[in-house]
Amino acid sequence: MLDDAMPTIDMPAGPGVLAAGSILYLDGVTVSFDGFRALNSLSLVLAPGELRTIVGPNGAGKTTMMDVITGKTRPDKGDVLFDQNIDLTRLDESAIATLGIGRKFQKPTVFEHLSVFENLELALKTNRSTLATLFFRLSGQQAEQIAATLQRVGLADKARQQAGSLSHGQKQWLEIGMLLMQDQRLLLLDEPVAGMTDAETEATAELILDLARDKTRSLVVVEHDMEFVRALGAKVTVLHEGSVLAEGSLDAVQANPKVVEVYLGR
Amino acid sequence: MTSFSARLLTCGNRRLWTGLAVGALVFLVLVPVLNLAVPVDSALHLPNYMVTLLGKYLCYALLALAMDLVWGYCGVLSLGHGAFFALGGYAIGMYMMRAIGSRGVYGNADLPDFMVFLNWQELPWYWFGFSQPWFALLMVVVIPGALAFVFGWLAFRSRITGVYLSIITQAMTYALMLAFFRNEMGFGGNNGLTDFKDIFGFDLALPSTKMGLYLASAVVLGLAFLLARFIVTSKLGRVMMAVRDAESRVRFLGYSPTAIKLFVFTLSAMLAGVAGALYVPQVGIINPSEFSPANSIEIAIWVAVGGRGTLIGAILGAFAVNGAKTWLTGAAPELWLFLLGALFIIVTLGMPKGLIGLWAQSKARLFRRSAVTEEKEARHA
């Protein structure tokens, strides 16, 4: 798996060629905060329908990478392309979200004062303009869509409950449900099982595998929990000091001496 | 627009419509009857000054409602709403100045008195049109709305939030106050606009005109309440609350918090302008002190006391605080400012949901107590 088409920045070709057929393409992305390089010439290519896990020690740049993809942070240098040719570095958060990239944050952020149902209703893929939102009425079909998502993330019996009263794990599932309502083509999940019980972790792994199964969407999962990464059984990218250290199956990267040295061996 | 009216009808429940009916009965029937039909020497008679006082409170309630929409629901603590209120007041004041015509002290049909006094020869261009009632009424919403739109666009686009936004809105109203104090601005300077004679042909000195203005304030407040209710119960209302609670998360859902806040801020400023336009004919004067930063802070206190994030709370708060103010500034004027300060501290620390929250809390406690006693009794039996 390590020999999968893995572009390096030395390759003498423009981004257009390398980005062909990819859903997400990062090349030479660099971000510095006050001289500290959070991302250092990071390159990553994701195929449509792919499930990818990203691991790395604290400060490796995992969250900064998500910030760059979702428009929260602008890179100093480098290309960030979605769907082969859309330049994400020129768009803001809401434009990128409308384009089809959804993000679940490390700390679950749901709208605590709204009910679980209303949280999903806000995420539902609709016209986002202010007036359209003012005059919006939920159709029967959309209500069914919400009900189906509630079922899928295991919150069917919590629809009327205030989101703030959910357990930590349930909030994480609600956030994943919100991404599903947006019907996004690329889901970025930042530590989806942090703080979850073993049973919840297992259920989340099943949920993510279920989402990846039909290959209609691509998923990037950032996670520390190696058991969880193993359960997903997907290609693993190891980040270290803002760039890619290794890529391949979990067994392959775990056997990689460089990885052992900076991360797993500690 | 039939679906709109249908939604307007369904956006409330029976409790809402009963509440509105009771409000209409008190303000549109009971008050006029007590004032007009009950003989003057009766103890139940409502004097004319009380009608005007209630009319003033209704305007404050409308202003509080506007503030609640943008602060209580959308999380934008504007401390410049007094400016929008004053601008609406100035717009109607300019009309009433023009309506004086040649009946002023100097008898000049073309220029308001203060301009004659300043030796001005002709009307400044920005006074053109204000002799027309329709133009003045349009400006009552257009000027505050336009200012809020431009100001809001600059602020929200730059993602100025929280206390920083509050401070720059204070600066805005302060700057306007200083500007309006200047005679060269052409708005009567220090003295403002006053000595109004009539409005839309009705003599302002007549009790019937005062009653009409009072009734108009009550009706407009009712309509504004319905509009606000329609907005906060819509999906947009839920997005507003989402912006209030987790703005950046809303952005990642694809909504534009900038557009949403701009819409609410502008609409709220327009409602504040309408409140000012209803207020000025009832008090008979508008001057730059209405722009004073403290006025805007007071509006926030009304809403906080009543209970922000509930429409009825804002109205209740405006009535409660201003009622207390009227009473105390008469009984012990030196205490009022201390009390206002104390009130804000007590509400912030002790009752974050205001009077409405207090009521809900005590109701819940009452229910719990009765449930507990029932349980005890059942155990004893």
Side-chain angles (χ1 to χ4, degrees):
Chain A
M1 263 189 144
L2 264 174
D3 9 330
D4 278 2
M6 173 51 202
T8 60
I9 37 172
D10 319 327
M11 283 176 93
V17 179
L18 291 168
S22 73
I23 186 80
L24 182 69
Y25 174 91
L26 272 68
D27 186 31
V29 176
T30 301
V31 174
S32 324
F33 299 116
D34 295 330
F36 168 70
R37 287 205 162 177
L39 292 183
N40 188 4
S41 192
L42 175 77
S43 301
L44 186 107
V45 180
L46 196 70
E50 186 181 345
L51 169 62
R52 177 78 63 95
T53 41
I54 294 185
V55 300
N58 283 330
K62 304 180 300 277
T63 301
T64 309
M65 183 192 79
M66 294 218 169
D67 286 347
V68 167
I69 298 169
T70 53
K72 197 176 173 197
T73 302
R74 297 240 178 279
D76 303 331
K77 278 209 299 268
D79 298 311
V80 185
L81 301 178
F82 177 62
D83 203 8
Q84 306 182 38
N85 50 22
I86 303 167
D87 183 0
L88 296 179
T89 60
R90 294 170 188 281
L91 301 170
D92 72 353
E93 294 101 314
S94 52
I96 291 173
T98 313
L99 214 57
I101 300 181
R103 177 177 187 181
K104 193 209 79 63
F105 287 80
Q106 196 168 342
K107 180 173 160 274
T109 38
V110 295
F111 305 119
E112 311 240 324
H113 288 93
L114 301 177
S115 73
V116 170
F117 185 92
E118 287 169 338
N119 267 274
L120 293 179
E121 186 203 18
L122 290 199
L124 183 73
K125 195 174 186 177
T126 50
N127 185 340
R128 293 307 202 219
S129 85
T130 305
L131 282 181
T133 310
L134 178 60
F135 293 105
F136 173 80
R137 294 196 89 169
L138 193 68
S139 74
Q141 195 206 336
Q142 288 166 327
E144 276 167 30
Q145 207 182 326
I146 294 177
T149 302
L150 281 168
Q151 200 77 46
R152 197 164 189 187
V153 298
L155 294 171
D157 54 336
K158 304 264 187 313
R160 298 281 151 212
Q161 206 167 309
Q162 261 206 351
S165 70
L166 295 179
S167 76
H168 179 80
Q170 289 166 337
K171 281 183 192 168
Q172 304 265 31
W173 293 335
L174 176 56
E175 265 215 274
I176 295 175
M178 287 163 77
L179 294 181
L180 294 179
M181 293 312 300
Q182 284 173 269
D183 197 17
Q184 303 292 43
R185 288 157 66 200
L186 172 62
L187 304 190
L188 308 172
L189 308 179
D190 200 350
E191 302 200 14
V193 296
M196 279 191 177
T197 64
D198 287 351
E200 284 174 332
T201 303
E202 213 169 293
T204 307
E206 270 167 40
L207 174 62
I208 290 174
L209 286 172
D210 177 42
L211 297 180
R213 195 159 297 132
D214 57 7
K215 305 269 183 208
T216 54
R217 53 179 85 79
S218 316
L219 290 108
V220 174
V221 180
V222 167
E223 193 46 70
H224 278 301
D225 183 337
M226 282 304 148
E227 283 309 304
F228 179 69
V229 171
R230 185 168 296 282
L232 293 182
K235 185 169 165 183
V236 177
T237 297
V238 183
L239 293 192
H240 178 58
E241 288 175 351
S243 43
V244 175
L245 187 68
E247 210 163 40
S249 70
L250 182 61
D251 289 333
V253 299
Q254 276 182 324
N256 186 322
K258 279 191 294 183
V259 175
V260 171
E261 192 191 326
V262 304
Y263 183 53
L264 299 164
R266 277 193 282 182
Chain B
M1 281 313 248
T2 48
S3 74
F4 174 72
S5 48
R7 268 197 63 191
L8 195 61
L9 285 172
T10 51
C11 75
N13 46 20
R14 251 184 62 205
R15 234 179 74 205
L16 167 80
W17 294 111
T18 343
L20 264 180
V22 170
L25 209 66
V26 170
F27 286 106
L28 298 180
V29 179
L30 189 65
V31 168
V33 165
L34 290 182
N35 175 241
L36 301 172
V38 175
V40 178
D41 48 5
S42 159
L44 285 176
H45 175 76
L46 197 69
N48 286 339
Y49 82 86
M50 274 300 283
V51 174
T52 302
L53 192 66
L54 282 174
K56 259 172 67 177
Y57 289 178
L58 288 168
C59 298
Y60 290 148
L62 178 56
L63 182 55
L65 192 74
M67 179 74 179
D68 193 24
L69 214 49
V70 74
W71 179 37
Y73 285 90
C74 211
V76 178
L77 176 54
S78 158
L79 292 179
H81 261 53
F84 304 127
F85 180 80
L87 287 172
Y90 266 99
I92 202 79
M94 286 162 81
Y95 158 73
M96 291 191 293
M97 287 306 274
R98 300 292 289 132
I100 295 172
S102 58
R103 289 170 294 170
V105 178
Y106 298 105
N108 190 322
D110 298 324
L111 292 181
D113 274 352
F114 73 88
M115 290 185 193
V116 181
F117 183 76
L118 290 173
N119 241 334
W120 289 15
Q121 297 308 317
E122 55 187 26
L123 202 65
W125 61 268
Y126 46 84
W127 275 73
F128 290 159
F130 278 96
S131 52
Q132 298 295 326
W134 66 266
F135 182 80
L137 288 178
L138 194 67
M139 289 303 119
V140 160
V141 289
V142 167
I143 291 171
L147 175 66
F149 186 84
V150 173
F151 191 88
W153 187 73
L154 291 170
F156 300 144
R157 197 187 53 130
S158 316
R159 301 200 181 165
I160 294 172
T161 53
V163 67
Y164 301 101
L165 186 102
S166 306
I167 291 170
I168 60 166
T169 50
Q170 280 268 284
M172 173 192 78
T173 192
Y174 187 64
L176 281 168
M177 179 176 77
L178 295 183
F180 273 71
F181 262 128
R182 290 158 45 91
N183 281 329
E184 303 87 86
M185 277 287 282
F187 296 107
N190 203 2
N191 301 318
L193 311 175
T194 188
D195 290 331
F196 309 129
K197 302 281 187 252
D198 45 32
I199 184 166
F200 311 140
F202 297 100
D203 187 350
L204 280 165
L206 290 177
S208 62
T209 308
K210 294 198 160 124
M211 177 54 81
L213 285 167
Y214 159 82
L215 290 173
S217 307
V219 170
V220 170
L221 176 63
L223 292 176
F225 179 79
L226 280 179
L227 175 71
R229 174 90 193 176
F230 174 73
I231 292 171
V232 303
T233 54
S234 74
K235 186 179 166 193
L236 182 67
R238 292 189 282 284
V239 180
M240 281 158 60
M241 288 181 251
V243 168
R244 179 191 67 191
D245 296 341
E247 180 172 340
S248 64
R249 186 69 184 82
V250 176
R251 221 171 258 134
F252 287 105
L253 279 184
Y255 296 95
S256 160
T258 305
I260 288 160
K261 289 199 281 190
L262 196 54
F263 171 81
V264 181
F265 190 58
T266 305
L267 181 81
S268 172
M270 288 171 155
L271 286 175
V274 172
L278 286 162
Y279 176 82
V280 168
Q282 299 190 69
V283 296
I285 184 169
I286 172 78
N287 62 34
S289 68
E290 288 295 338
F291 285 108
S292 97
N295 277 22
S296 295
I297 294 175
E298 231 179 273
I299 304 165
I301 298 181
W302 305 340
V303 176
V305 167
R308 69 195 149 110
T310 59
L311 297 176
I312 197 74
I315 295 173
L316 204 72
F319 270 88
V321 177
N322 283 295
K325 184 181 186 176
T326 305
W327 173 65
L328 252 177
T329 44
E334 65 282 358
L335 285 181
W336 168 245
L337 279 176
F338 291 103
L339 188 94
L340 193 68
L343 200 61
F344 197 54
I345 294 170
I346 292 167
V347 167
T348 318
L349 293 180
M351 32 192 271
K353 287 179 178 169
L355 291 172
I356 289 286
L358 208 62
W359 188 64
Q361 246 170 31
S362 58
K363 207 169 70 173
R365 201 170 300 148
L366 208 69
F367 274 121
R368 209 176 310 137
R369 187 169 303 154
S370 63
V372 169
T373 39
E374 264 171 38
E375 203 178 296
K376 268 188 194 152
E377 278 163 11
R379 224 178 295 149
H380 280 294

